[in-house]
Amino acid sequence: MKLQPPVKSHNFLKFSRKMQEENLKGEHAAPVLSPDECLRQGAAAAWPICLGYFPVGLAFGVLASQAGLQWWAVALMSILVFAGSSQFICVSMLVSGAAAWSIVLTTLAVNLRHALMSSALAIYLKRISRWFLTFFAYGITDESFALNMARFRSGDWDKWRALVVNQLANAAWIISTVTGTLIGQFIPKGAFGIDYALPGMFICLLVFQLQNRIFILTGILAALISIVWYLFIPGDSYIIGASVSAATLGFFIKQQARRRQ
């Protein structure tokens, strides 16, 4: 019997890596569709997101109008920022008279999660032009990320349908926020409980993040730090200071919890 020569370790690693790449290609291979079919399937996946964006966008537009923003300013904000929570925060801080640097840093901290989302999607978008990636990354939101990630993992999804989802959601947000701004000019300030829309939005975002005891503890720490910071340090820095401090403490608490397990 002829014995096979032993496989060298570096060759084995090379072969294993190649097989993993081939399996990944096969697992996530999607059929090639016509542009019309990509648009149809992307729109079919995106419509629930768009439907959800309209009431929130209208509420934001009304609040922005009552805060003194013109429709074109809201349109520019929705086009350039395209992040609902950050835009709500921006309007809230504008109403409270916060400094520009404080608004920029706060919204930057809130939007940093999009960098992690883009990194997670990047494994399904290899060997694609930077122009496409730039346009694609611009349209990523929490909702479109969740939908595209689930579809990519199922294997029956591609970059064009994912792009349709992102940009239709973007269009729905821009249209709804501008429409809300135009409607808001005819709504008396404080009518229909609209003043509650802003704190209601933030309470909703907070509740969705309270997934376990560590998240709850981090939220409590953020509230305590922001109150103490606001009482003893003048200015608007308490928002950024409390956010960064609580997030850092939450990270170390999570690390300690993992070591004990």
Side-chain angles (χ1 to χ4, degrees), residues 117-243:
M117 295 177 186
S118 300
S119 300
L121 287 170
I123 61 173
Y124 302 102
L125 300 169
K126 293 180 178 177
R127 294 180 289 278
I128 294 177
S129 71
R130 292 184 178 181
W131 288 108
F132 182 93
L133 291 177
T134 301
F135 193 47
F136 183 85
Y138 158 73
I140 292 176
T141 63
D142 298 345
E143 296 78 15
S144 64
F145 165 77
L147 190 150
N148 283 327
M149 196 68 181
R151 296 297 179 96
F152 274 127
R153 282 175 174 168
S154 70
D156 185 23
W157 205 237
D158 58 33
K159 63 179 182 179
W160 295 111
R161 284 175 284 180
L163 183 67
V164 170
V165 170
N166 286 5
Q167 297 311 318
L168 283 182
N170 187 6
W173 177 252
I174 295 170
I175 292 171
S176 60
T177 54
V178 173
T179 303
T181 309
L182 296 175
I183 294 174
Q185 299 174 1
F186 305 101
I187 298 177
K189 196 169 184 178
F192 308 116
I194 289 176
D195 288 349
Y196 179 71
L198 194 58
M201 168 82 175
F202 292 130
I203 291 172
C204 184
L205 291 174
L206 174 63
V207 169
F208 284 146
Q209 298 300 320
L210 301 178
Q211 301 172 0
N212 55 44
R213 286 184 295 180
I214 295 177
F215 285 80
I216 295 172
L217 179 59
T218 304
I220 293 172
L221 287 172
L224 293 175
I225 294 171
S226 64
I227 292 172
V228 173
W229 196 303
Y230 177 76
L231 292 176
F232 292 97
I233 301 177
D236 307 314
S237 60
Y238 67 95
I239 299 175
I240 300 173
S243 301

Side-chain angles (χ1 to χ4, degrees), residues 6-62:
V7 180
K8 293 183 178 179
S9 58
H10 67 280
N11 288 337
F12 175 77
L13 291 174
K14 195 174 178 181
F15 174 77
S16 177
R17 190 178 297 117
K18 186 176 179 181
M19 288 302 296
Q20 288 178 357
E21 292 177 356
E22 291 298 327
N23 290 336
L24 188 63
K25 287 178 185 176
E27 183 182 351
H28 302 293
V32 178
L33 302 176
S34 66
D36 290 344
E37 189 62 17
C38 281
L39 182 61
R40 190 189 68 78
Q41 293 192 16
W47 76 264
I49 296 176
C50 299
L51 198 62
Y53 278 2
F54 267 103
V56 181
L58 288 172
F60 169 76
V62 172

